[in-house]
Every structure is written in structure tokens, then in C-alpha cells.
Short mmCIF file of all heavy atoms in Angstrom, two decimals:
data_model
loop_
_atom_site.label_atom_id
_atom_site.label_comp_id
_atom_site.label_asym_id
_atom_site.label_seq_id
_atom_site.Cartn_x
_atom_site.Cartn_y
_atom_site.Cartn_z
N VAL J 1 -9.75 11.46 -11.47
CA VAL J 1 -9.76 12.40 -10.37
C VAL J 1 -8.34 12.94 -10.08
O VAL J 1 -7.81 12.71 -8.92
CB VAL J 1 -10.39 11.75 -9.05
CG1 VAL J 1 -11.97 11.67 -9.17
CG2 VAL J 1 -9.81 10.37 -8.75
N PRO J 2 -7.67 13.48 -11.11
CA PRO J 2 -6.28 13.89 -10.84
C PRO J 2 -6.27 14.95 -9.76
O PRO J 2 -5.12 15.13 -9.16
CB PRO J 2 -5.98 14.54 -12.21
CG PRO J 2 -7.27 14.90 -12.85
CD PRO J 2 -8.19 13.92 -12.38
N GLU J 3 -7.28 15.73 -9.46
CA GLU J 3 -7.26 16.74 -8.44
C GLU J 3 -7.02 16.03 -7.00
O GLU J 3 -6.33 16.65 -6.21
CB GLU J 3 -8.41 17.56 -8.36
CG GLU J 3 -9.77 16.87 -8.00
CD GLU J 3 -10.32 16.06 -9.16
OE1 GLU J 3 -9.83 16.01 -10.39
OE2 GLU J 3 -11.51 15.44 -8.87
N ILE J 4 -7.56 14.93 -6.83
CA ILE J 4 -7.22 14.06 -5.56
C ILE J 4 -5.75 13.74 -5.51
O ILE J 4 -5.12 13.93 -4.43
CB ILE J 4 -8.23 13.08 -5.39
CG1 ILE J 4 -9.67 13.58 -5.30
CG2 ILE J 4 -7.98 12.19 -4.10
CD1 ILE J 4 -10.78 12.46 -5.21
N TRP J 5 -5.28 13.17 -6.55
CA TRP J 5 -3.86 12.82 -6.64
C TRP J 5 -3.06 13.99 -6.36
O TRP J 5 -2.04 13.88 -5.45
CB TRP J 5 -3.54 12.23 -8.01
CG TRP J 5 -4.03 10.87 -8.38
CD1 TRP J 5 -5.26 10.63 -8.83
CD2 TRP J 5 -3.37 9.42 -7.99
NE1 TRP J 5 -5.37 9.26 -9.07
CE2 TRP J 5 -4.36 8.53 -8.53
CE3 TRP J 5 -2.28 9.11 -7.42
CZ2 TRP J 5 -4.00 7.25 -8.43
CZ3 TRP J 5 -1.90 7.73 -7.45
CH2 TRP J 5 -2.75 6.86 -7.97
N ASN J 6 -3.41 15.07 -6.82
CA ASN J 6 -2.63 16.32 -6.66
C ASN J 6 -2.61 16.74 -5.31
O ASN J 6 -1.59 17.22 -4.60
CB ASN J 6 -2.98 17.40 -7.62
CG ASN J 6 -2.70 17.06 -9.00
OD1 ASN J 6 -1.81 16.42 -9.41
ND2 ASN J 6 -3.32 17.72 -9.98
N LEU J 7 -3.82 16.78 -4.59
CA LEU J 7 -3.93 16.99 -3.19
C LEU J 7 -3.06 16.12 -2.36
O LEU J 7 -2.49 16.51 -1.50
CB LEU J 7 -5.39 16.92 -2.69
CG LEU J 7 -6.33 17.81 -2.98
CD1 LEU J 7 -7.73 17.41 -2.68
CD2 LEU J 7 -6.06 19.20 -2.15
N LEU J 8 -2.99 14.79 -2.67
CA LEU J 8 -2.21 13.88 -1.91
C LEU J 8 -0.73 14.11 -2.01
O LEU J 8 0.04 13.59 -1.30
CB LEU J 8 -2.71 12.50 -2.26
CG LEU J 8 -4.08 12.09 -1.81
CD1 LEU J 8 -4.38 10.84 -2.24
CD2 LEU J 8 -4.22 12.25 -0.29
N ASP J 9 -0.37 14.88 -3.08
CA ASP J 9 1.24 15.21 -3.21
C ASP J 9 1.51 15.89 -1.96
O ASP J 9 2.87 15.98 -1.67
CB ASP J 9 1.42 15.92 -4.42
CG ASP J 9 1.44 15.08 -5.59
OD1 ASP J 9 1.62 13.86 -5.45
OD2 ASP J 9 1.16 15.54 -6.78
N SER J 10 0.67 16.64 -1.22
CA SER J 10 1.02 17.34 -0.04
C SER J 10 1.35 16.43 1.24
O SER J 10 1.80 16.87 2.24
CB SER J 10 0.03 18.33 0.28
OG SER J 10 -1.05 17.84 0.81
N VAL J 11 0.91 15.20 1.25
CA VAL J 11 1.10 14.22 2.15
C VAL J 11 2.54 13.66 2.16
O VAL J 11 2.88 13.04 1.26
CB VAL J 11 0.03 13.10 2.14
CG1 VAL J 11 0.25 12.02 3.40
CG2 VAL J 11 -1.41 13.65 2.24
N LYS J 12 3.23 13.99 3.29
CA LYS J 12 4.67 13.56 3.29
C LYS J 12 4.82 12.35 4.15
O LYS J 12 3.91 11.91 4.86
CB LYS J 12 5.52 14.71 3.88
CG LYS J 12 5.27 16.06 3.16
CD LYS J 12 5.73 15.99 1.88
CE LYS J 12 5.82 17.27 1.19
NZ LYS J 12 6.08 17.41 -0.22
N ASP J 13 5.98 11.72 3.97
CA ASP J 13 6.27 10.66 4.90
C ASP J 13 6.66 11.16 6.18
O ASP J 13 7.58 12.00 6.28
CB ASP J 13 7.63 9.88 4.23
CG ASP J 13 8.09 8.76 5.02
OD1 ASP J 13 7.69 8.63 6.28
OD2 ASP J 13 8.85 7.96 4.40
N PRO J 14 6.05 10.67 7.31
CA PRO J 14 6.26 11.21 8.57
C PRO J 14 7.65 11.04 9.08
O PRO J 14 8.13 11.87 9.98
CB PRO J 14 5.28 10.60 9.56
CG PRO J 14 4.74 9.46 8.72
CD PRO J 14 4.93 9.61 7.39
N GLU J 15 8.42 10.00 8.68
CA GLU J 15 9.72 9.74 9.01
C GLU J 15 10.70 10.41 8.22
O GLU J 15 11.80 10.77 8.51
CB GLU J 15 10.05 8.24 8.92
CG GLU J 15 9.08 7.47 9.93
CD GLU J 15 9.30 5.94 9.90
OE1 GLU J 15 9.60 5.42 8.63
OE2 GLU J 15 8.95 5.23 10.76
N VAL J 16 10.26 10.94 6.86
CA VAL J 16 11.23 11.69 6.10
C VAL J 16 10.29 12.72 5.44
O VAL J 16 9.89 12.67 4.24
CB VAL J 16 11.84 10.77 4.96
CG1 VAL J 16 12.94 11.45 4.21
CG2 VAL J 16 12.52 9.54 5.66
N PRO J 17 10.13 13.84 6.12
CA PRO J 17 9.14 14.78 5.73
C PRO J 17 9.44 15.52 4.63
O PRO J 17 8.72 16.53 4.09
CB PRO J 17 8.92 15.71 7.06
CG PRO J 17 10.19 15.51 7.77
CD PRO J 17 10.76 14.11 7.45
N VAL J 18 10.47 15.28 3.92
CA VAL J 18 10.83 16.04 2.67
C VAL J 18 10.38 15.27 1.34
O VAL J 18 10.51 15.87 0.24
CB VAL J 18 12.37 16.32 2.55
CG1 VAL J 18 12.83 17.21 3.64
CG2 VAL J 18 13.09 15.10 2.53
N ILE J 19 9.89 14.14 1.51
CA ILE J 19 9.20 13.36 0.44
C ILE J 19 7.86 13.08 0.50
O ILE J 19 7.44 12.68 1.68
CB ILE J 19 10.12 12.00 -0.07
CG1 ILE J 19 10.19 11.12 1.16
CG2 ILE J 19 11.56 12.46 -0.55
CD1 ILE J 19 10.87 9.73 0.82
N SER J 20 7.13 13.10 -0.61
CA SER J 20 5.70 12.78 -0.35
C SER J 20 5.48 11.27 -0.56
O SER J 20 6.33 10.49 -0.98
CB SER J 20 4.89 13.39 -1.64
OG SER J 20 5.16 12.69 -2.85
N ILE J 21 4.17 10.89 -0.17
CA ILE J 21 3.88 9.38 -0.20
C ILE J 21 3.85 8.90 -1.73
O ILE J 21 4.22 7.78 -1.94
CB ILE J 21 2.63 9.04 0.59
CG1 ILE J 21 1.42 9.81 0.01
CG2 ILE J 21 2.85 9.31 2.13
CD1 ILE J 21 0.11 9.36 0.62
N TRP J 22 3.65 9.81 -2.53
CA TRP J 22 3.75 9.51 -3.97
C TRP J 22 5.15 9.29 -4.38
O TRP J 22 5.51 8.16 -5.07
CB TRP J 22 3.09 10.47 -4.89
CG TRP J 22 3.33 10.21 -6.35
CD1 TRP J 22 4.31 10.96 -7.14
CD2 TRP J 22 2.77 9.25 -7.08
NE1 TRP J 22 4.37 10.50 -8.34
CE2 TRP J 22 3.38 9.43 -8.47
CE3 TRP J 22 1.82 8.29 -7.01
CZ2 TRP J 22 3.01 8.59 -9.59
CZ3 TRP J 22 1.49 7.54 -7.93
CH2 TRP J 22 2.20 7.54 -9.33
N GLU J 23 6.05 10.21 -4.02
CA GLU J 23 7.46 10.00 -4.54
C GLU J 23 8.13 8.92 -3.95
O GLU J 23 9.08 8.09 -4.44
CB GLU J 23 8.30 11.38 -4.02
CG GLU J 23 7.90 12.52 -4.72
CD GLU J 23 8.46 13.76 -4.07
OE1 GLU J 23 8.41 13.97 -2.81
OE2 GLU J 23 8.86 14.66 -4.80
N LEU J 24 7.63 8.52 -2.58
CA LEU J 24 8.17 7.23 -1.89
C LEU J 24 7.83 6.01 -2.62
O LEU J 24 8.41 4.97 -2.41
CB LEU J 24 7.79 7.37 -0.42
CG LEU J 24 8.34 6.25 0.43
CD1 LEU J 24 9.77 6.16 0.54
CD2 LEU J 24 7.71 6.51 1.82
N GLY J 25 6.60 6.05 -3.27
CA GLY J 25 5.99 4.84 -3.89
C GLY J 25 5.03 4.21 -3.06
O GLY J 25 4.56 3.07 -3.34
N VAL J 26 4.58 4.86 -2.01
CA VAL J 26 3.56 4.33 -1.12
C VAL J 26 2.17 4.42 -1.58
O VAL J 26 1.25 3.55 -1.53
CB VAL J 26 3.75 4.93 0.36
CG1 VAL J 26 2.55 4.58 1.13
CG2 VAL J 26 4.99 4.43 0.86
N LEU J 27 1.91 5.58 -2.23
CA LEU J 27 0.54 5.75 -2.86
C LEU J 27 0.23 5.06 -4.03
O LEU J 27 0.95 5.18 -5.03
CB LEU J 27 0.49 7.39 -3.07
CG LEU J 27 -0.93 7.73 -3.65
CD1 LEU J 27 -2.15 7.45 -2.82
CD2 LEU J 27 -0.93 9.28 -3.94
N GLN J 28 -0.69 4.10 -3.92
CA GLN J 28 -0.95 3.16 -5.06
C GLN J 28 -2.09 3.59 -5.96
O GLN J 28 -2.02 3.53 -7.19
CB GLN J 28 -1.24 1.82 -4.51
CG GLN J 28 0.00 1.20 -3.72
CD GLN J 28 1.15 1.07 -4.70
OE1 GLN J 28 0.94 0.43 -5.76
NE2 GLN J 28 2.31 1.54 -4.26
N ASP J 29 -3.29 4.00 -5.43
CA ASP J 29 -4.41 4.11 -6.18
C ASP J 29 -5.38 5.16 -5.42
O ASP J 29 -5.42 5.28 -4.26
CB ASP J 29 -5.12 2.88 -6.40
CG ASP J 29 -6.05 2.89 -7.78
OD1 ASP J 29 -6.02 3.98 -8.40
OD2 ASP J 29 -6.54 1.93 -8.14
N VAL J 30 -6.24 5.84 -6.29
CA VAL J 30 -7.30 6.68 -5.69
C VAL J 30 -8.57 6.45 -6.56
O VAL J 30 -8.52 6.49 -7.72
CB VAL J 30 -6.97 8.17 -5.86
CG1 VAL J 30 -8.11 8.98 -5.41
CG2 VAL J 30 -5.73 8.56 -5.05
N LEU J 31 -9.64 5.96 -5.88
CA LEU J 31 -10.94 5.73 -6.46
C LEU J 31 -11.91 6.50 -5.85
O LEU J 31 -11.85 6.72 -4.60
CB LEU J 31 -11.24 4.28 -6.46
CG LEU J 31 -10.29 3.28 -7.16
CD1 LEU J 31 -10.61 1.88 -6.77
CD2 LEU J 31 -10.21 3.52 -8.63
N VAL J 32 -12.96 6.97 -6.72
CA VAL J 32 -14.14 7.68 -6.04
C VAL J 32 -15.31 6.80 -6.53
O VAL J 32 -15.55 6.71 -7.69
CB VAL J 32 -14.26 9.16 -6.52
CG1 VAL J 32 -15.50 9.85 -5.87
CG2 VAL J 32 -12.97 9.87 -6.05
N THR J 33 -16.14 6.43 -5.53
CA THR J 33 -17.40 5.64 -5.73
C THR J 33 -18.44 6.29 -4.98
O THR J 33 -18.40 6.31 -3.82
CB THR J 33 -17.17 4.18 -5.48
OG1 THR J 33 -16.13 3.77 -6.12
CG2 THR J 33 -18.44 3.36 -5.88
N ASP J 34 -19.48 6.74 -5.62
CA ASP J 34 -20.61 7.40 -4.99
C ASP J 34 -20.24 8.39 -3.96
O ASP J 34 -20.76 8.45 -2.86
CB ASP J 34 -21.49 6.34 -4.29
CG ASP J 34 -22.14 5.22 -5.28
OD1 ASP J 34 -22.41 5.77 -6.39
OD2 ASP J 34 -22.27 4.00 -4.84
N GLY J 35 -19.32 9.31 -4.32
CA GLY J 35 -18.87 10.30 -3.51
C GLY J 35 -17.71 9.94 -2.39
O GLY J 35 -17.30 10.74 -1.71
N ALA J 36 -17.59 8.68 -2.28
CA ALA J 36 -16.68 8.17 -1.37
C ALA J 36 -15.18 7.91 -1.92
O ALA J 36 -15.23 7.43 -3.04
CB ALA J 36 -17.01 6.85 -0.72
N VAL J 37 -14.25 8.46 -1.23
CA VAL J 37 -12.85 8.33 -1.74
C VAL J 37 -12.16 7.17 -1.12
O VAL J 37 -12.08 7.17 0.11
CB VAL J 37 -12.04 9.66 -1.52
CG1 VAL J 37 -10.66 9.65 -2.06
CG2 VAL J 37 -12.83 10.86 -2.11
N THR J 38 -11.62 6.30 -1.87
CA THR J 38 -10.91 5.18 -1.36
C THR J 38 -9.42 5.38 -1.93
O THR J 38 -9.23 5.50 -3.05
CB THR J 38 -11.30 3.87 -1.94
OG1 THR J 38 -12.79 3.77 -1.50
CG2 THR J 38 -10.57 2.62 -1.34
N VAL J 39 -8.55 5.49 -0.90
CA VAL J 39 -7.07 5.48 -1.25
C VAL J 39 -6.32 4.28 -0.85
O VAL J 39 -6.51 3.77 0.39
CB VAL J 39 -6.44 6.81 -0.55
CG1 VAL J 39 -4.87 6.96 -0.79
CG2 VAL J 39 -7.16 8.05 -0.91
N SER J 40 -5.54 3.76 -1.71
CA SER J 40 -4.77 2.47 -1.36
C SER J 40 -3.32 2.87 -1.17
O SER J 40 -2.71 3.60 -2.07
CB SER J 40 -4.78 1.55 -2.63
OG SER J 40 -6.28 1.12 -2.77
N ILE J 41 -2.83 2.31 -0.19
CA ILE J 41 -1.25 2.55 0.11
C ILE J 41 -0.61 1.39 0.33
O ILE J 41 -1.16 0.38 0.90
CB ILE J 41 -1.04 3.61 1.26
CG1 ILE J 41 -1.79 3.10 2.47
CG2 ILE J 41 -1.57 4.96 0.87
CD1 ILE J 41 -1.53 4.07 3.73
N THR J 42 0.71 1.29 0.09
CA THR J 42 1.43 0.02 0.39
C THR J 42 2.58 0.48 1.34
O THR J 42 3.39 1.32 1.02
CB THR J 42 2.10 -0.66 -0.81
OG1 THR J 42 1.10 -0.92 -1.60
CG2 THR J 42 3.05 -1.77 -0.47
N PRO J 43 2.67 -0.20 2.56
CA PRO J 43 3.79 0.21 3.35
C PRO J 43 5.15 -0.14 2.97
O PRO J 43 5.31 -1.16 2.20
CB PRO J 43 3.46 -0.51 4.89
CG PRO J 43 2.66 -1.68 4.34
CD PRO J 43 1.89 -1.23 3.12
N THR J 44 6.17 0.46 3.40
CA THR J 44 7.66 0.21 2.84
C THR J 44 8.07 -1.30 3.41
O THR J 44 8.82 -1.80 2.82
CB THR J 44 8.56 1.17 3.39
OG1 THR J 44 8.61 1.30 4.80
CG2 THR J 44 8.38 2.50 2.73
N TYR J 45 7.46 -1.59 4.59
CA TYR J 45 7.50 -3.03 4.98
C TYR J 45 6.39 -3.46 5.79
O TYR J 45 5.68 -2.50 6.31
CB TYR J 45 8.86 -3.35 5.60
CG TYR J 45 9.12 -2.61 6.99
CD1 TYR J 45 8.94 -3.28 8.13
CD2 TYR J 45 9.45 -1.32 7.01
CE1 TYR J 45 9.17 -2.75 9.39
CE2 TYR J 45 9.77 -0.67 8.25
CZ TYR J 45 9.57 -1.48 9.37
OH TYR J 45 9.74 -0.80 10.56
N SER J 46 5.99 -4.68 6.04
CA SER J 46 4.74 -4.95 6.63
C SER J 46 4.55 -4.37 8.18
O SER J 46 3.40 -4.15 8.50
CB SER J 46 4.51 -6.44 6.57
OG SER J 46 5.49 -7.17 7.29
N GLY J 47 5.53 -4.22 8.83
CA GLY J 47 5.54 -3.81 10.17
C GLY J 47 5.87 -2.13 10.22
O GLY J 47 6.09 -1.72 11.35
#
């Protein structure tokens, strides 16, 4: 589903709005199961 990854390139870090969550390394995975999209993200720190 590369089209979903490409869509998510428009999602920016709200604290640094010049970089995407992909560029930051937060976006981990995108899966589609039975039409439902599951996106996995990792915060820069737990809090």
C-alpha cells in the first residue's frame, strides 16, 4: 500500500512542522486488513 505511505508523508511533526513523521523516524508501519488501516508509530520518548 505505497499510496498510504505517500499520503502519510504529508503528516508533519506538530512541534517541528517542517519534517514529516516519516523523516523523523516516528512512522513505523502501515497495514491494511479487511479495509481497515492500521498505522504504527513510535514516540521520540515515552512521554
Side-chain angles (χ1 to χ4, degrees):
V1 287
E3 66 280 0
I4 297 176
W5 289 88
N6 293 339
L7 279 170
L8 293 175
D9 284 337
S10 69
V11 177
K12 305 297 183 189
D13 177 343
E15 295 173 337
V16 188
V18 295
I19 57 175
S20 73
I21 59 173
W22 170 256
E23 293 169 316
L24 183 59
V26 167
L27 178 58
Q28 296 297 312
D29 203 359
V30 176
L31 299 170
V32 177
T33 308
D34 298 326
V37 180
T38 302
V39 178
S40 298
I41 56 176
T42 297
T44 55
Y45 67 100
S46 62

